[in-house]
Amino acid sequence: NIDSLAQDPLSRIQMADECGIKEWFHPAYAKLCARKAPLTAEEGRILGFERYTALWRIREEDLKATADRSMWEGPKSPRAEKTSSPPDIPLLKCKSKCCQIPFELNTKEKAFLARIAKARELDPR
């Protein structure tokens, strides 16, 4: 099922590589950065060295910043968590069903987008 394949960030990156859908890269990278599970060696083989290390670095920086904040601020109340509206994800010009699959990001995933945009290794090819 194409809908379920496109919801997996790694599958979406692979499809974006194969089909040249540049708009899919950054949201998929954000999902990989925000998830709890670490990046795997297999994902590294699929992503390639430069993208893998850029994502690893972004995740590591976030982990360090989170650890530093929690050390000084203490645990946060769940009520203090801010929510934001979904970003404006550009619609693709392609009208086929596979290109129009939504890929929504949660607040944590959205927080990674600015750092992803700055990482030259993650520029769409």
Side-chain angles (χ1 to χ4, degrees), residues 19-108:
C19 301
I21 307 171
K22 294 179 180 182
E23 294 85 355
W24 281 8
F25 286 111
H26 287 193
Y29 295 151
K31 285 202 171 283
L32 288 175
C33 286
R35 73 177 190 196
K36 289 183 181 180
L39 297 170
T40 67
E42 179 60 24
E43 290 168 335
R45 283 189 279 282
I46 292 168
L47 291 167
F49 181 77
E50 287 186 1
R51 289 193 291 187
Y52 180 80
T53 56
L55 293 172
W56 180 87
R57 185 187 71 247
I58 292 168
R59 286 174 54 94
E60 186 72 15
E61 289 168 356
D62 181 69
L63 251 151
K64 184 180 181 318
T66 302
D68 289 348
R69 268 194 315 273
S70 65
M71 183 172 66
W72 293 107
E73 296 173 4
K76 285 190 173 186
S77 161
R79 291 184 192 157
E81 186 100 7
K82 291 183 180 178
T83 58
S84 63
S85 59
D88 291 329
I89 297 175
L91 290 177
L92 305 173
K93 293 178 184 174
C94 175
K95 298 297 182 202
S96 71
K97 184 180 177 188
C98 68
C99 290
Q100 299 303 323
I101 299 168
F103 204 49
E104 295 184 21
L105 301 177
N106 64 34
T107 304
K108 183 175 182 178

Side-chain angles (χ1 to χ4, degrees), residues 110-124:
K110 290 175 197 173
F112 284 100
L113 289 175
R115 284 184 274 168
I116 288 167
K118 290 178 184 178
R120 287 183 301 178
E121 305 91 343
L122 299 177
D123 283 343

